Amino acid sequence: MRRAALLVVLLSAGCAGDPPAPEPAPGFVMRVARAAHTATPLPDGRVLLAGGCATDGCGGTELAVASELYADGRFTPGPALSGPRFNHTATALGDGRVLVAGGFPDERSAPSGTAEVFTGDRFESVGAMTAPRGNHTATRLRDSRVLLVGGVDGRSALASAEVFDGTGFRAVADLPGPRSRHGAALLADGRVLVVGGQTAAPHGVGLLDTALLYDPARDRWQEVPGRLPVPAYKLAVAPLPDGRALVVGGQTADDPDARLATTLVFDPATGRFTAGPRMAEPRYKISDAVVALADGRVAVAGGFGVEVYAGGSFRSLARGEVERQYPAVAALPDGSLLVTGGYDDRTRVTGTALRVRLFD
């Protein structure tokens, strides 16, 4: 069994009555407190942090336009996006750029239908998507196109999907039905697995216990025969090195007691789900908090801790004092994990960061 040691740098602020929080390390606090943002590794080793809600309650737009860059233990200013975005997607492209698409300008507004790419030192517009989207997924395909699936347009959930080919967007086959706040991952066979989600408008109900497979070669969706044990949304999916996929956490209702600490393993050979190991704590709102590592392990953040899945079990690595719903996680070149931002159950946004370094 793989053994791991870790180096943790934790920056947090406790609530009244909590033990004193560790003092921040110089240069290791984000420049902007943010949640529901993205953190994307760049080819030169930096990490791009883009968008997010930057005020408690996620109602303001003043600072969500700012991006920042992480490298060598420090956050430095990055260029501004064309406008504020949260619950958007950011996808590393094969040419080193990052596609930033959709998302909400604030809690009360419809999502954006625009997208832009980060070129290394600035953001450039790539025009309009085929539909405004927030709470969607974006998955880079084997041919370097990016598949954007579902989400909401501000009024209802979407059954549409589209691809970005490096210069613009075009529609692909519709899903069998609308779906948002689902999870998605590219499988080893080139298909995309889409799991769970919500069928109703942004704050409605109508949760799904179904999963779909998209075949980009045939531009065709197929509903898999297996179903989730319970309908769930706000979950995440990660590919496993043996061709299967790990479905992580989620929520079965809009209730704190409905958050899941369970995982499932999807086998594309059978199209069915089997129970995976339990996590140390329930996790949801983890769309950018689950990362498949280069060595085949899967890192999971969100909530209060960080743990890693390998060989059919989880190993807890770190537990902080700051709750992180909608944090963002990125793998760093030295093998460590960077966990940034998030908000707590009162939607109080944090500017703190957590770095966990793994050793085999």
Side-chain angles (χ1 to χ4, degrees):
M1 179 180 296
R2 180 183 282 112
R3 300 184 65 183
L6 58 97
L7 168 66
V8 177
V9 178
L10 174 62
L11 307 170
S12 61
C15 300
D18 289 343
E23 287 296 320
F28 201 68
V29 177
M30 298 161 61
R31 301 184 65 84
V32 175
R34 60 181 84 214
H37 58 295
T38 53
T40 311
L42 302 175
D44 60 9
R46 297 178 299 167
V47 176
L48 170 69
L49 276 66
C53 58
T55 57
D56 293 346
C58 290
T61 63
E62 295 86 355
L63 296 175
V65 175
S67 74
E68 55 192 293
L69 296 159
Y70 172 84
D72 300 323
R74 292 185 176 275
F75 295 93
T76 57
L81 289 87
S82 60
R85 303 177 187 270
F86 74 94
N87 284 138
H88 56 285
T89 55
T91 311
L93 303 176
D95 58 9
R97 297 179 300 163
V98 177
L99 173 69
V100 179
F104 300 88
D106 61 67
E107 184 75 8
R108 298 175 296 275
S109 300
S112 171
T114 66
E116 52 200 305
V117 293
F118 178 72
T119 64
D121 58 4
R122 65 187 182 275
F123 288 96
E124 296 180 351
S125 172
V126 288
M129 300 185 292
T130 64
R133 299 180 192 274
N135 294 327
H136 57 289
T137 55
T139 306
R140 182 175 153 190
L141 304 175
R142 279 180 168 178
D143 60 10
S144 292
R145 293 181 301 161
V146 178
L147 174 71
L148 285 75
V149 175
V152 296
D153 62 5
R155 299 181 301 275
S156 60
L158 298 170
S160 63
E162 59 189 293
V163 292
F164 176 74
D165 64 6
T167 59
F169 296 88
R170 69 174 181 84
V172 295
D174 285 351
L175 288 70
R179 191 176 296 246
S180 71
R181 290 175 170 171
H182 50 279
L186 179 68
L187 300 179
D189 63 11
R191 294 180 297 173
V192 177
L193 173 67
V194 172
V195 180
Q198 184 178 19
T199 63
H203 302 291
V205 289
L207 304 187
L208 294 164
D209 63 356
T210 58
L212 305 172
L213 285 168
Y214 177 72
D215 184 346
R218 299 181 179 182
D219 188 22
R220 187 174 69 182
W221 291 95
Q222 174 188 2
E223 192 162 314
V224 304
R227 289 180 175 261
L228 307 180
V230 291
Y233 70 140
K234 299 179 183 177
L235 44 74
V237 185
L240 298 175
D242 61 5
R244 300 179 300 165
L246 183 70
V247 181
V248 181
Q251 192 175 24
T252 61
D254 189 14
D255 186 320
D257 293 332
R259 300 171 189 174
L260 298 173
T262 53
T263 66
L264 299 168
V265 176
F266 175 77
D267 187 344
T270 64
R272 299 190 180 278
F273 297 89
T274 56
R278 290 183 66 87
M279 296 180 289
E281 61 177 303
R283 288 188 170 88
Y284 82 131
K285 296 184 178 179
I286 49 174
S287 52
D288 284 281
V290 176
V291 177
L293 304 176
D295 62 7
R297 292 180 289 178
V298 176
V300 179
F304 288 91
V306 178
E307 52 193 307
V308 170
Y309 172 89
S313 63
F314 280 99
R315 183 184 182 91
S316 293
L317 299 181
R319 183 171 176 82
E321 296 176 11
V322 174
E323 183 181 14
R324 299 178 187 273
Q325 300 175 22
Y326 281 131
V329 178
L332 300 176
D334 63 2
S336 55
L337 300 173
L338 178 68
V339 184
T340 54
Y343 58 61
D344 62 16
D345 258 347
R346 299 182 184 179
T347 326
R348 296 176 298 191
V349 181
T350 181
T352 66
L354 173 70
R355 190 176 70 216
V356 180
R357 189 166 187 170
L358 309 174
F359 300 92
D360 288 341

